[in-house]
Every structure is written in structure tokens, then in C-alpha cells.
Amino acid sequence: QVQLVESGGGLVQAGGSLRLSCAASGRTFSNYNAGWFRQAPGKERKFVAAVNRSGSNTIYSDSVSGRFTISRDNTKNTVYLQMNSLKPEDTAVYYCAADRSTYGSNSAEYDYWGQGTQVTVSS
């Protein structure tokens, strides 16, 4: 079992920045790929970014590419999502996910999830 706890969400003006953190516990986190997903009210959960076990490879959705950066520090068992140039359409609950084998954008393939952190971007 892996437990994931997100933090760092909040209210920010358009054009601003936030950094989300996802702290993992329970197992050796470096054995798990990790991803960030988001869900806006009334909409389905969508892929944002993913990072492989070592942090050497990352992938992004088209909507955040060039603005968001995913990274990890396995010595701290933490995954980060640096969000710059935020837009109102980035408003959502952001979820961290982890899986031993999955490295990609399909949320159904991730076994472990955090409780989410709210990000609100005002115009």
C-alpha cells in the first residue's frame, strides 16, 4: 500500500503560480511511477502530467505543456507539480496518483490516489 497526501492548493490570480506537493508513505516510493490528474466540477477526471520512477522521463497533456512541470524527489518521497501562467480553466481539484507499472495518462490504470487539493484561478 502507498498513501498519498497532496498539499499546496489554493486561490491564485490568472498568470500566477502554485506548486503542488504529493507526499508518499508506506512503500519505497522510487518503485512507483506517479501522475497528476485534475477534475473540474461536473467534468470527468483528466490527465495532467506523469513522471517515471527515477524522474528521468515526463509526459504532459497538451493543455499544460510548457506551463506546468512535474518532478520528484525520491529522497523525500515527494512528487511536485509546478504550475505557472495559470488560467481560470486550470481551476479543479488536483489529484496525485501512483502505480508500480503504469506510466501514462490512463487514470484507470493507477492503483493509488490521494484525496485531492483544490486549485482555484480567478480571472
Side-chain angles (χ1 to χ4, degrees):
Q1 287 277 0
V2 174
Q3 292 79 43
L4 304 172
V5 178
E6 302 97 333
S7 61
L11 174 63
V12 63
Q13 289 188 333
S17 298
L18 282 175
R19 188 176 81 156
L20 305 183
S21 299
C22 173
S25 62
R27 290 294 176 98
T28 304
F29 191 51
S30 58
N31 291 336
Y32 292 78
N33 301 301
W36 286 96
F37 293 78
R38 65 187 182 185
Q39 187 168 19
K43 297 187 177 181
E44 62 181 17
R45 191 170 298 185
K46 293 187 176 180
F47 171 74
V48 175
V51 60
N52 68 343
R53 297 177 189 85
S54 67
S56 60
N57 289 305
T58 58
I59 52 175
Y60 297 92
S61 68
D62 289 344
S63 62
V64 307
S65 182
R67 300 188 298 123
F68 291 10
T69 302
I70 188 171
S71 62
R72 66 191 297 163
D73 185 343
N74 287 335
T75 66
K76 297 182 179 179
N77 291 338
T78 302
V79 176
Y80 303 99
L81 186 67
Q82 177 67 44
M83 305 185 295
N84 298 328
S85 303
L86 283 162
K87 305 174 181 179
E89 51 264 43
D90 294 318
T91 295
V93 177
Y94 283 71
Y95 296 91
C96 176
D99 195 85
R100 286 185 66 93
S101 56
T102 292
Y103 167 59
S105 61
N106 187 348
S107 61
E109 295 181 348
Y110 284 82
D111 281 343
Y112 303 102
W113 291 85
Q115 82 290 347
T117 185
Q118 176 70 47
V119 172
T120 303
V121 184
S122 63
S123 58

